[in-house]
Amino acid sequence: MSVDMNSQASDSNEEDFGENFEDEGDDDDDGGDDDDQADIEDYYIGVSNDVEQQGADSFDPEEYLFTCLTYKESQRVLLEEVNTVAAALKVVPAVAKLVLVHLHWHFTQILDRYKSNSSLLMSDALVQPSSTSRTVTPTQSLQCGVCLQVVRRDALLALPCQHSFCQGCWEQYCTVLVKDGLGVGISCMAQECSLQMPEDFVLSLLPGEELKDKYRRYLFRDYVESHFQLQLCPGADCPMVIKVQEPRARRVQCSRCSEVFCFKCRQMYHAPTDCATVRKWLTKCADDSETANYISAHTKDCPKCNICIEKNGGCNHMQCSKCKHDFCWMCLGDWKTHGSEYYECSRYKENPDIVNQSQQAQAREALKKYLFYFERWENHNKSLQLEAQTYQRIQEKIQERVMNNLGTWIDWQYLHNAAKLLAKCRYTLQYTYPYAYYMESGRSKKLFEYQQAQLEAEIENLSWKVERADSSERPVVVGEGELCASDRGDLENQMHIAEQKRRTLLKDFHDT
């Protein structure tokens, strides 16, 4: 599972914003059966309903209403808002767009500011010179301010700031900027003049339809990115736009390419950690390259018989194949001691006297703290990858059992859902560690660490049961088509508990 959250180029899917997109995204089924893939987006499909049928709290803190729009649908949404603002402000649509971009398409704010001081609104949006700026008095000179050539009067063009330049210089200036990828934001050529050029002014200067089409795509990109309710799908070459009522750091999924991301930052979904914190965490992980050797080992020695053990599953509850000793992969402690005190393994014990020690000691303590959280973050990342393999094996075993008349697909669906829910819970747990790392000490952190530990304990219990169910060579069959319900009931009950712990943590600490 990749956790790379580096920003993608904002015009990466520019070639898809064209007339070729006549479809409305109805080809979603061409990619085959997505359930056969152990992708993270699958973990959220159908699992919640299955758990809620077991009597779980129906409140889902991750519930978020959004709509996936095609390129043409997005254009219609933008055009409706532009026409409304243009009529209210009594300006042309091209000017209305600059005002909308300036205030991130907040219609009520635009109206309020227009009623309060229309001139100030237009100057702040850089579509008219401010009353305090130095105005240029139109002269009778026919000399271009850039190339200094004397030209015909009708060849001189100017914005409302009255800085006049010949059409040839305007054309060259706009052509260069558009080829560099600029849409909204092309300003006057005069030095220290930041007045914005409306799109109709730029379009009249661009040579050739190809360049004009590229400029329109850049404008569309900038309009969507400036809109507080819209986000471009970050999927490769995907032209879809996600629309919401209230912008929040919530999970959204593109209906066309199935890309899953956080609406607010357009990066990989990261609840309960907020966007700024997770970006800071991943930057730190990338910079602290000296930790690579520390977390690279995949093997540890059994704390009882010292035999070398390789972790080949996602569960952190380990059992030595030689001496059968049960221990924790993270702290190597006896698994029996984890019970209700499991949080001792996931909670970092701060040194209260560290502020009074030397800078070297404080630096060592800072690295020790970082390594503690990073090792657990990385461990759950690896567990997700291993459990994705378990998920795939379960799919194959279910198919084999159905083919051998050992129950129907419905009979074995609970194993399928258990593996998906396990990944869903562990994915949330992984992102609790950056949250805890940057969280200040206090009552709130103690509560968070307690809930984090409770979730971790239940996830490991669920992982243990899922892996044991996966390793079972043959199910217990009471009669033809009748399966023993004890193991199934136990697993479904554990699913319910784990999901409840996950929801409780997100409800209390998810970014609101």
Side-chain angles (χ1 to χ4, degrees):
M1 182 199 67
S2 170
V3 292
D4 180 17
M5 293 178 60
N6 293 327
S7 297
Q8 299 187 25
S10 56
D11 59 342
S12 60
N13 53 3
E14 64 182 50
E15 297 302 326
D16 292 303
F17 299 137
E19 298 299 325
N20 293 332
F21 278 87
E22 300 291 339
D23 65 286
E24 297 294 314
D26 294 330
D27 56 347
D28 294 351
D29 295 330
D30 293 345
D33 186 2
D34 289 338
D35 281 341
D36 289 339
Q37 304 298 321
D39 294 331
I40 195 69
E41 58 263 24
D42 288 340
Y43 301 146
Y44 277 76
I45 300 175
V47 177
S48 296
N49 292 335
D50 182 77
V51 174
E52 285 163 12
Q53 289 175 2
Q54 311 304 318
D57 183 0
S58 60
F59 173 74
D60 186 355
E62 293 179 300
E63 185 176 350
Y64 192 49
L65 298 178
F66 61 90
T67 306
C68 297
L69 305 177
T70 63
Y71 173 60
K72 289 187 176 181
E73 289 170 340
S74 305
Q75 282 185 315
R76 285 195 291 269
V77 169
L78 294 172
L79 185 59
E80 289 176 4
E81 297 186 35
V82 169
N83 291 336
T84 302
V85 170
L89 273 55
K90 299 180 177 59
V91 295
V92 297
V95 172
K97 289 177 180 178
L98 292 176
V99 177
L100 282 161
V101 169
H102 173 64
L103 289 176
H104 303 287
W105 301 72
H106 286 281
F107 179 65
T108 55
Q109 290 185 24
I110 293 173
L111 287 185
D112 290 343
R113 292 193 56 180
Y114 181 74
K115 292 175 182 178
S116 174
N117 191 328
S118 60
S119 298
L120 182 60
L121 169 64
M122 303 304 278
S123 62
D124 285 348
L126 301 177
V127 296
Q128 286 183 3
S130 65
S131 57
T132 58
S133 63
R134 184 174 64 88
T135 57
V136 178
T137 303
T139 65
Q140 301 301 317
S141 172
L142 300 180
Q143 189 180 54
C144 172
V146 172
C147 66
L148 304 180
Q149 296 294 316
V150 176
V151 296
R152 299 192 314 273
R153 185 179 303 279
D154 59 0
L156 284 174
L157 303 176
L159 294 170
C161 58
Q162 300 302 320
H163 294 118
S164 298
F165 307 97
C166 71
Q167 184 169 338
C169 287
W170 279 114
E171 288 179 357
Q172 186 175 6
Y173 174 70
C174 293
T175 298
V176 169
L177 291 179
V178 171
K179 285 184 177 179
D180 285 344
L182 205 61
V184 174
I186 300 180
S187 60
C188 176
M189 281 194 290
Q191 189 175 10
E192 298 181 358
C193 181
S194 54
L195 208 67
Q196 301 291 301
M197 296 169 61
E199 64 177 55
D200 53 359
F201 187 86
V202 178
L203 284 169
S204 67
L205 297 169
L206 293 177
E209 286 302 316
E210 183 178 352
L211 193 60
K212 290 180 179 180
D213 287 341
K214 180 170 289 192
Y215 176 61
R216 292 187 185 99
R217 291 197 295 269
Y218 293 152
L219 286 173
F220 176 79
R221 174 202 65 197
D222 293 343
Y223 293 151
V224 171
E225 290 183 348
S226 66
H227 201 300
F228 75 106
Q229 293 177 310
L230 302 178
Q231 281 286 21
L232 289 166
C233 174
D237 301 323
C238 184
M240 299 295 285
V241 172
I242 311 298
K243 184 177 186 297
V244 301
Q245 285 299 115
E246 182 182 358
R248 302 175 74 181
R250 291 293 185 271
R251 179 186 188 275
V252 295
Q253 182 172 15
C254 177
S255 61
R256 187 176 189 272
C257 69
S258 299
E259 184 79 7
V260 174
F261 58 99
C262 167
F263 178 83
K264 198 168 183 179
C265 67
R266 226 162 59 98
Q267 305 298 336
M268 200 167 190
Y269 183 57
H270 47 75
T273 307
D274 62 88
C275 303
T277 299
V278 79
R279 183 176 294 278
K280 184 164 60 173
W281 168 258
L282 291 172
T283 300
K284 181 174 181 60
C285 292
D287 292 342
D288 289 340
S289 57
E290 72 272 13
T291 63
N293 293 332
Y294 181 85
I295 53 89
S296 61
H298 295 273
T299 62
K300 294 184 179 181
D301 292 342
C302 171
K304 188 173 183 179
C305 69
N306 296 322
I307 189 175
C308 184
I309 295 177
E310 180 181 8
K311 189 172 187 285
N312 58 5
C315 183
N316 290 310
H317 176 182
M318 308 299 294
Q319 186 179 71
C320 177
S321 58
K322 181 180 179 182
C323 68
K324 305 302 180 183
H325 175 59
D326 292 272
F327 64 96
C328 172
W329 175 261
M330 293 306 304
C331 69
L332 300 179
D334 192 320
W335 190 261
K336 295 178 182 178
T337 65
H338 278 59
S340 60
E341 300 301 318
Y342 188 79
Y343 69 90
E344 292 295 337
C345 178
S346 60
R347 180 173 64 86
Y348 181 75
K349 299 175 181 63
E350 302 272 2
N351 182 355
D353 192 48
I354 191 63
V355 293
N356 300 320
Q357 298 183 18
S358 66
Q359 289 185 345
Q360 291 84 352
Q362 292 182 32
R364 285 194 298 270
E365 179 67 18
L367 180 59
K368 179 182 176 184
K369 176 182 176 180
Y370 167 69
L371 291 175
F372 177 90
Y373 286 103
F374 183 81
E375 184 180 26
R376 282 151 180 78
W377 153 273
E378 183 68 11
N379 175 64
H380 288 299
N381 183 14
K382 292 178 179 178
S383 291
L384 270 170
Q385 298 175 34
L386 293 169
E387 285 167 350
Q389 299 172 13
T390 301
Y391 172 79
Q392 187 66 28
R393 288 196 301 269
I394 286 176
Q395 291 286 83
E396 295 170 356
K397 284 193 175 183
I398 291 176
Q399 186 67 29
E400 179 183 348
R401 289 166 179 172
V402 171
M403 294 295 292
N404 292 331
N405 295 322
L406 295 175
T408 65
W409 174 261
I410 296 177
D411 293 327
W412 295 109
Q413 187 71 18
Y414 74 97
L415 288 178
H416 167 87
N417 289 339
K420 288 170 67 176
L421 181 69
L422 172 60
K424 180 181 179 182
C425 290
R426 194 179 292 283
Y427 184 75
T428 298
L429 180 61
Q430 179 188 359
Y431 280 94
T432 64
Y433 281 99
Y435 189 98
Y437 175 74
Y438 288 104
M439 201 174 186
E440 293 186 3
S441 300
R443 288 189 60 186
S444 182
K445 183 169 185 177
K446 288 182 179 179
L447 175 59
F448 177 79
E449 288 177 332
Y450 174 77
Q451 293 189 10
Q452 178 192 46
Q454 293 293 304
L455 173 61
E456 188 152 8
E458 300 305 338
I459 286 176
E460 297 308 333
N461 289 338
L462 179 60
S463 180
W464 179 266
K465 295 178 188 297
V466 168
E467 289 187 5
R468 292 305 172 274
D470 171 52
S471 62
S472 176
E473 292 298 325
R474 188 175 179 84
V476 179
V477 181
V478 178
E480 186 175 355
E482 298 179 7
L483 303 173
C484 181
S486 60
D487 290 342
R488 174 173 179 171
D490 184 41
L491 185 57
E492 289 180 336
N493 182 61
Q494 188 60 45
M495 290 170 62
H496 164 75
I497 295 173
E499 175 66 0
Q500 281 301 96
K501 296 294 184 182
R502 192 186 76 90
R503 291 189 182 189
T504 299
L505 184 145
L506 290 178
K507 177 174 65 70
D508 292 344
F509 292 98
H510 196 358
D511 174 33
T512 56

